[in-house]
Amino acid sequence: MKPLNEMKLNFPSRSANEGFARAVVAAFVSQLDPAVDELADIRTAVSEAVTNCIVHAYPDTIGTIYLSARLYEDGRIVIKIRDKGCGIADVRQAMEPLFTTGGEERSGLGFSVMESFTDRLRVSSRKGKGTSVVLEKYIAPRESAQNGAKPS
């Protein structure tokens, strides 16, 4: 299925850019007229994915984070957050709740949070090559849109 709209954004892995990425995705997704809770879910999942890049992919350096988003006619949003950082040796282990390589200050719940706020989560990684996180979320059609009314 061809996307209705798509966008791409690259930015440095600085912590200040986590909020920026979250805001950009929220603004882009607003085209589908999501409910407040749907938008909050997307913002939270994006925040977690970008934070993982900042903290884990590029722990001792500033690298590039690649973000893309696609909107589909069926209300599906596909967001991909990718890095070319250190990669994850064991994705299955990394996705276990409470597992972290980030020290005592990290909770190890990033992937669990992403999974709970999206309809589908896919993670692929190659040690030394980077990681790709794909978040999918379906936005329920609003009643006004179903009745042919234009959203305000």
Side-chain angles (χ1 to χ4, degrees), residues 54-99:
I54 293 166
V55 172
H56 300 289
Y58 304 113
D60 300 318
T61 187
I62 300 295
T64 301
I65 298 172
Y66 305 87
L67 188 151
S68 65
R70 292 179 173 175
L71 306 177
Y72 293 89
E73 194 172 313
D74 61 357
R76 183 170 51 113
I77 300 151
V78 178
I79 302 161
K80 183 176 184 179
I81 295 112
R82 184 173 62 84
D83 65 68
K84 293 183 180 178
C86 62
I88 301 170
D90 184 340
V91 171
R92 190 173 301 184
Q93 181 184 34
M95 292 181 75
E96 287 293 320
L98 305 178
F99 177 83

Side-chain angles (χ1 to χ4, degrees), residues 104-137:
E104 290 181 18
E105 68 278 356
R106 310 308 307 175
S107 68
L109 294 173
F111 287 125
S112 295
V113 169
M114 285 180 245
E115 201 164 33
S116 69
F117 285 101
T118 59
D119 296 313
R120 185 171 184 203
L121 170 66
R122 293 188 316 267
V123 180
S124 59
S125 189
R126 289 180 48 205
K127 191 77 174 143
K129 300 288 185 181
T131 301
S132 176
V133 172
V134 180
L135 310 166
E136 288 189 35
K137 179 89 174 164

